[in-house]
Amino acid sequence: MAASYVLVTAAVVILLEIVAIGFIIPNLLATQDLTNRVNETAANLSEQLALVSTSTDQFALPSDYVLGRPGTSLGPGQVQLSGNGVVVPQLTTKYRPGLAPVSLALVYTPDGKVIASSYPAGYPVGSSAYGAIPDGPASGFSKTSQIATTSTGNVAWAVQPVVLNRLDTSGLPPGAKKFPPAALVYVQAPVQAATIGSVSSAAPLLQAGVVLLLLTLPVGVIFGVLTTRGVVRRLRRLGSTTAKLADGDLSQRVAPGTSDEVGQLERDFNNMAERLQAAVSHERALAEKTARLAERSRISRELHDSISQDLFSLSLLAGGLDKALPADSPVRSEVRALAETVDSANREMRALLLELRPTTLEEKGLVPALEELVSTYAARLGIKIDADLHPVRMAPAAELAALRIAQEGLANAVKHAQAKTISLSLHPNGAGAQIAIKDDGRGFDSSMNGSGSGLGLRLMRERVEELGGSLVIGTAAGQGTVITATLPVLAR
């Protein structure tokens, strides 16, 4: 991330360089074009002067020769292009010192004496030309054009020699093809304010840009490291926590930081981890429940396929012995007692199988589960069960308690009370719900009140009391039993 800051900073600097160059290059091109035009004008003038010279041995101009274009109005700082060169005006007005440079041309001898001038008011014939040349005598014989800065502004200037075409070359030094210049031509034109002096004048700008770029890189590195250190540390911590979560440690959480994008990501990660943990816990609970139901189904099948069949076979043997024995046989009463015992054991086994059978409480609700339980007892045991069931919104724990109470009450009525008719009711009762199981069986001693009458009744009472409800058992010997449980709608 720090590298991205460096790249962005460098890109900004380079973009600024490109924009700056976009402004500089046109000016550089315009300046170079002006210097080329000035040099071309000086070269053309030198050729014209060589042709108009009245002598081939010594440079001399006609008496009526005028340097510059008459009637051209170009003031200080003004330039007029013409073909590949610039217009050299004949200036008759003397401009006061301190104004911008003017376009002019001078013809002078090798020793610097002006012999023709387009600006005689400023540089008259006979004066020194070196006052006009920016670099003085040192550049008086230069053939190159360049940009110079004067006290009044920038000028593009050039010096070209005037070489006479002499027929007699006997006086030339050995190897020379032409005589030394008989005169020189100086031409200047003011540089417009919109242009830059020269290509060399842009070098400082480019160098400054390079220096700025070199200075920006370490600054960008330091800035990137300082600004992204905390964010990078938080992202790495989030990444390691995610890896641990992926390995199965669902308790992993991260401490949310500031309210930025990374902080929002951390909070979203915690929410995701909590939902994932809840989903896995639900899946595990569902798997455990499925395993318990599968085990109950397996035990139910084993009991039905083994013990129930053995009890049925034993019942057939006892019935056959009872029929085969003589009426006055002394073991006839024991055989009948055995048959009754086997029949009772068979009834209890069927009730046990019904208790082990999975219910539909989670899938359909309490009332459908109770209805299925009632229909199963009536169909498999042949016992009449009257059901009066009204839907009541209850907490899951209270619904499960009501179902277990109904199962235990029906099982006790079948196994112990030997009831022929049973009634089961469920209806709202104030702020709670009331479930009641009543049978016409043989009952038991009411003084025990369920506390010592068996494990089933004790567990039933404990389950109800844990939920904040109450359990009342009404019974008497030979008068049946009534079990009434009141459960809160919302379990504690």
Side-chain angles (χ1 to χ4, degrees):
M1 187 172 291
S4 64
Y5 278 93
V6 176
L7 292 176
V8 170
T9 306
V12 171
V13 173
I14 293 174
L15 181 60
L16 292 177
E17 289 282 343
I18 293 174
V19 172
I21 291 174
F23 286 99
I24 292 173
I25 292 300
N27 294 328
L28 292 177
L29 294 177
T31 303
Q32 186 63 40
D33 179 66
L34 181 60
T35 57
N36 292 336
R37 287 176 175 274
V38 169
N39 189 61
E40 184 70 18
T41 302
N44 292 335
L45 280 176
S46 67
E47 292 179 359
Q48 294 175 8
L49 292 171
L51 294 176
V52 300
S53 177
T54 58
S55 174
T56 58
D57 296 330
Q58 184 176 342
F59 181 74
L61 291 174
S63 59
D64 59 347
Y65 182 80
V66 177
L67 183 62
R69 182 182 298 179
T72 302
S73 177
L74 288 179
Q78 296 179 341
V79 178
Q80 181 177 344
L81 306 181
S82 175
N84 294 330
V86 294
V87 174
V88 177
Q90 185 184 37
L91 302 175
T92 58
T93 303
K94 181 177 177 60
Y95 299 101
R96 62 184 178 82
L99 296 178
V102 296
S103 299
L104 63 86
L106 299 177
V107 181
Y108 59 95
T109 61
D111 59 358
K113 181 181 178 181
V114 176
I115 57 178
S117 174
S118 67
Y119 185 27
Y123 301 96
V125 175
S127 64
S128 176
Y130 296 138
I133 301 175
D135 294 341
S139 299
F141 294 91
S142 175
K143 295 184 180 180
T144 59
S145 58
Q146 54 187 316
I147 299 295
T149 301
T150 67
S151 60
T152 56
N154 297 327
V155 295
W157 63 275
V159 174
Q160 289 288 343
V162 179
V163 180
L164 299 178
N165 296 321
R166 299 180 180 179
L167 299 177
D168 184 8
T169 59
S170 60
L172 288 176
K177 296 183 179 180
K178 290 185 179 181
F179 287 94
L184 296 107
V185 178
Y186 170 77
V187 177
Q188 77 171 30
V191 176
Q192 299 288 322
T195 61
I196 304 297
S198 65
V199 176
S200 60
S201 65
L205 296 176
L206 299 177
Q207 292 174 358
V210 173
V211 172
L212 178 61
L213 179 61
L214 294 178
L215 293 177
T216 303
L217 291 179
V219 172
V221 171
I222 297 174
F223 177 74
V225 171
L226 292 179
T227 55
T228 61
R229 180 173 54 185
V231 176
V232 170
R233 186 188 306 115
R234 292 166 63 188
L235 289 176
R236 288 177 178 173
R237 181 180 59 192
L238 184 60
S240 62
T241 306
T242 303
K244 294 178 182 178
L245 183 69
D247 291 337
D249 187 2
L250 301 181
S251 63
Q252 290 292 323
R253 300 292 186 276
V254 293
T258 56
S259 300
D260 54 3
E261 289 77 3
V262 180
Q264 184 62 40
L265 183 62
E266 291 169 340
R267 287 185 286 274
D268 292 342
F269 172 82
N270 289 338
N271 293 334
M272 179 199 67
E274 291 175 359
R275 293 180 182 179
L276 181 60
Q277 187 175 25
V280 171
S281 299
H282 177 72
E283 291 295 329
R284 289 176 179 173
L286 184 60
E288 292 176 358
K289 177 183 175 183
T290 304
R292 289 196 300 270
L293 293 177
E295 183 65 14
R296 289 172 60 180
S297 298
R298 186 189 66 81
I299 295 174
S300 177
R301 289 193 301 270
E302 292 293 334
L303 292 176
H304 179 271
D305 295 340
S306 58
I307 299 178
S308 294
Q309 298 300 327
D310 293 339
L311 290 175
F312 179 72
S313 299
L314 187 59
S315 176
L316 292 179
L317 291 175
L321 286 175
D322 183 50
K323 292 181 180 180
L325 289 174
D328 56 352
S329 174
V331 297
R332 190 179 182 87
S333 59
E334 284 78 1
V335 171
R336 289 182 177 177
L338 175 62
E340 292 177 358
T341 302
V342 171
D343 183 62
S344 177
N346 197 18
R347 289 168 61 89
E348 291 187 7
M349 178 60 64
R350 291 181 180 178
L352 179 61
L353 293 177
L354 289 176
E355 291 183 40
L356 290 174
R357 186 175 183 273
T359 62
T360 58
L361 177 62
E362 291 80 0
E363 292 81 4
K364 297 181 180 180
L366 179 59
V367 172
L370 293 175
E371 290 176 347
E372 181 177 348
L373 183 65
V374 168
S375 62
T376 302
Y377 266 87
R380 296 194 178 186
L381 301 180
I383 299 176
K384 181 181 179 182
I385 301 178
D386 298 326
D388 183 18
L389 306 175
H390 299 273
V392 181
R393 295 181 62 85
M394 303 171 66
E399 288 185 347
L400 180 60
L403 179 61
R404 296 306 181 208
I405 291 171
Q407 288 178 327
E408 184 68 24
L410 293 177
N412 289 339
V414 172
K415 292 190 292 184
H416 304 299
Q418 297 181 355
K420 301 299 182 183
T421 302
I422 305 173
S423 63
L424 174 65
S425 63
L426 173 66
H427 56 82
N429 181 22
Q434 186 178 81
I435 183 169
I437 304 99
K438 181 179 180 182
D439 64 73
D440 59 355
R442 58 189 182 183
F444 56 90
D445 188 358
S446 60
S447 63
M448 303 174 79
N449 198 23
S451 60
S453 58
L455 179 61
L457 292 178
R458 289 200 303 273
L459 294 177
M460 189 185 301
R461 185 180 297 278
E462 291 175 0
R463 185 188 296 272
V464 172
E465 291 177 352
E466 286 178 358
L467 298 176
S470 61
L471 180 69
V472 178
I473 300 176
T475 183
Q479 297 183 10
T481 302
V482 179
I483 300 174
T484 305
T486 303
L487 296 170
V489 175
L490 297 177
R492 292 188 302 188

